[in-house]
Amino acid sequence: MSPIPVGVLVGTTVLFVLTGCSDSNRIQGPDESEDVGVVVSESVHLTIGGQPANGFSASRQQDVAFVSLAPGSVQDGELASITNVSNGAEREVEMLDGGFDPVPISALADDTLEIEITGAGGVLLAQTISIVPNARPPVIVRTDPPKRKADVPLNSRAVIVFSEPLDVTTVTTESVQLLEIDQAVDGTVGLSADGLRAEFTPAELLAPGRTYTLVITTDVRDLQGDPLEERVEVSFTTEIPPATQLAFAIPPTETHGNQPMVPAVRVAITDQFGNTVGSATDLVTVALGANPGGATLSGTTTVNAVGGIATFSDLSIAHPGTGYTLVATSGSLTGATSTAFDI
């Protein structure tokens, strides 16, 4: 028996999923909450050698519609074939994570587009029929990081992919923000030459183990002046990198012989970025490195870290000298050597 197509109506697009396919091929949005279809933008005019808006240019004069599909829509999809029945234009695009970013195809308003999605061996998984709309507000196809993503690297940049080119003047640090709780994170926002991808770059590394929210407001507009369909918020959580090294948080300073060093020496257990790993309780040992006076280090020289910090409260050196250093070690972690100090 031939598989029966089931239509999902989204705007002017009907996405047919073949019921003979596995459940993993269901058409579902990236947040696993609602069905979605192929997104087809309104027709956009591009001109040769010109820059009608935000640096977007084309190889020839043409009117195009942008076609995209959110990640996770057809999990086993490998290739999307797009055909404009009205003028014969064709495009093929490789899929990633069950979707694909916007691709332009020659089209005018009311043209009919057919999209076929195939998997391994060219097996047909889904079909669409869509009419190019006269007008449609831009939407967000995907973000990186996506919603509820955990263990996001601290040096990440936030990327937003839109369904059609945007007006560069509307993509600002006011319309695209990264928040930690209710505080805006300092950073810069840029738009790709084709106007489809905005990127927020934090001024500093993100903090470990924190929840951030990427906010895109309706102040963002396309080339026709249409605002984003709705305000979008995407929350994600940063990673807690493993401990990799030691660092002197409070190094030893000049002091008198046989007197405890004040303030107490403190050694931090840190990750690769120099952030203190607050959960670390490793044993940390300090010893003399450079020893110009042939002295002995007295006091408690091995302690457990508390909150990622090992505190040595009674260290002392009896013999005077210039240029002593302390060396901190802890198992397989990269050790640390203090700055030179005098007794």
Side-chain angles (χ1 to χ4, degrees):
M1 178 181 296
S2 299
I4 300 172
V6 178
V8 179
L9 181 62
V10 182
T12 58
T13 301
V14 179
L15 181 53
F16 295 98
V17 183
L18 304 184
T19 57
C21 303
S22 67
D23 288 343
S24 64
N25 294 324
R26 67 191 187 280
I27 302 306
Q28 192 173 66
D31 61 358
E32 298 187 357
S33 64
E34 60 181 6
D35 290 338
V36 299
V38 171
V39 177
V40 178
S41 77
E42 59 198 329
S43 183
V44 179
H45 185 71
L46 306 177
T47 55
I48 297 174
Q51 294 183 336
N54 50 335
F56 191 93
S57 61
S59 59
R60 58 190 176 86
Q61 186 172 354
Q62 56 185 327
D63 294 280
V64 302
F66 287 82
V67 184
S68 56
L69 181 64
S73 296
V74 184
Q75 291 290 358
D76 296 334
E78 295 185 358
L79 185 69
S81 301
I82 308 167
T83 302
N84 186 334
V85 177
S86 302
N87 66 12
E90 296 180 344
R91 287 295 306 270
E92 283 191 343
V93 57
E94 293 184 1
M95 297 179 62
L96 180 65
D97 297 329
F100 58 89
D101 286 353
V103 292
I105 185 169
S106 177
L108 295 171
D110 298 325
D111 280 0
T112 299
L113 304 183
E114 291 183 351
I115 299 97
E116 293 186 346
I117 298 174
T118 55
V123 175
L124 181 63
L125 301 179
Q127 295 175 304
T128 76
I129 298 174
S130 179
I131 305 300
V132 177
N134 286 286
R136 181 173 189 174
V139 299
I140 292 175
V141 177
R142 66 177 178 90
T143 63
D144 185 17
K147 285 184 178 180
R148 296 186 292 277
K149 174 69 174 176
D151 296 326
V152 173
L154 306 186
N155 58 352
S156 293
R157 300 175 179 182
V159 176
I160 309 106
V161 177
F162 297 90
S163 59
E164 61 180 291
L166 298 184
D167 178 350
V168 67
T169 64
T170 68
V171 181
T172 69
T173 52
E174 296 296 324
S175 59
V176 178
Q177 292 185 316
L178 186 63
L179 306 180
E180 183 188 1
I181 308 178
D182 293 326
Q183 295 297 316
V185 175
D186 288 337
T188 57
V189 176
L191 189 66
S192 61
D194 60 11
L196 295 171
R197 294 167 179 80
E199 185 173 282
F200 181 92
T201 304
E204 299 179 350
L205 291 174
L206 302 178
R210 304 285 183 83
T211 296
Y212 290 87
T213 301
L214 178 64
V215 178
I216 307 97
T217 74
T218 54
D219 290 333
V220 168
R221 294 176 179 269
D222 65 14
L223 300 181
Q224 290 72 40
D226 298 323
L228 189 68
E229 186 174 55
E230 61 181 354
R231 174 187 173 98
V232 174
E233 297 187 4
V234 178
S235 294
F236 60 88
T237 305
T238 53
E239 66 179 347
I240 300 178
T244 60
Q245 58 197 5
L246 302 177
F248 279 88
I250 299 181
T253 57
E254 179 178 341
T255 188
H256 295 286
N258 286 323
Q259 296 294 319
M261 296 179 183
V262 178
V265 173
R266 293 188 175 186
V267 177
I269 299 174
T270 72
D271 60 29
Q272 60 178 319
F273 303 110
N275 298 304
T276 299
V277 179
S279 59
T281 58
D282 307 57
L283 278 172
V284 179
T285 297
V286 293
L288 284 171
N291 188 357
T296 299
L297 181 65
S298 300
T300 304
T301 57
T302 298
V303 301
N304 281 98
V306 176
I309 299 289
T311 301
F312 300 87
S313 58
D314 60 354
L315 298 180
S316 65
I317 298 174
H319 297 168
T322 300
Y324 283 101
T325 61
L326 292 183
V327 175
T329 57
S330 178
S332 62
L333 300 180
T334 301
T337 300
S338 73
T339 55
F341 62 96
D342 301 334
I343 298 295

